[in-house]
Amino acid sequence: QMSGVQGAHLVNQKKMHVLIDLVGYTGGGERANEVFAAQPCELQTSYMGFCASTGAPYMQHMVVDKIVAPPEYQAHFSERLMIVPNSYFCNDHRQQKSWAAIGATPPATTAAAVAAARGPYTELPGRGLLLA
């Protein structure tokens, strides 16, 4: 496993412009926070993993909705808020159809399948980073 500093160096070396934190201060996010603190990208955004302001000077934006950031509390966020009109969750398990109902098979979740899906970024830590 690589350190947060090594991860930040790798993000910078790959010339990535956007880094989105999906973990925040929740379990396992320490290494991701080290990467973000090194500020390897010109745009760093928090989304989903920690539903409150990070208070971190290195986090420029946060994706929220009016439930996560009610209008009367928005001034307390240190990040510039990107407010989505409805829900900021990208899925809803209550509306998800079964794989069989749509005539499909679930995606493979073996370590090899996950590594293949990550493409050229297999050397980056998998938790807490969404790379675009």
Side-chain angles (χ1 to χ4, degrees), residues 8 12 32 40 48 56 61 99 108 112-113 119 132:
N12 190 270
M48 304 264 313
H61 298 89
W99 289 101

Side-chain angles (χ1 to χ4, degrees), residues 2-9 30-32 34-36 38:
M2 67 175 63
S3 70
V5 172
Q6 290 169 322
H9 176 72
E30 297 82 12
R31 190 168 301 119
E34 291 174 8
V35 171
F36 282 94

Side-chain angles (χ1 to χ4, degrees), residues 29-82:
E30 297 82 12
R31 190 168 301 119
N33 290 327
E34 291 174 8
V35 171
F36 282 94
Q39 300 182 28
C41 285
E42 54 193 80
L43 177 62
Q44 300 188 157
T45 302
S46 179
Y47 177 56
M48 304 264 313
F50 187 71
C51 301
S53 176
T54 63
Y58 51 80
M59 196 64 69
Q60 294 100 356
H61 298 89
M62 183 173 183
V63 178
V64 299
D65 61 15
K66 291 179 183 173
I67 302 299
V68 172
E72 63 270 23
Y73 294 108
Q74 291 175 4
H76 299 286
F77 283 75
S78 62
E79 303 85 0
R80 183 171 182 194
L81 300 180
M82 296 185 288

Side-chain angles (χ1 to χ4, degrees), residues 88-122:
Y88 85 127
F89 281 101
C90 56
N91 56 28
D92 181 351
H93 70 279
R94 293 172 295 167
Q95 297 180 24
Q96 180 179 347
K97 296 183 183 219
S98 71
W99 289 101
I102 59 172
T105 56
T109 56
T110 64
V114 171
R118 293 179 72 200
Y121 302 107
T122 56

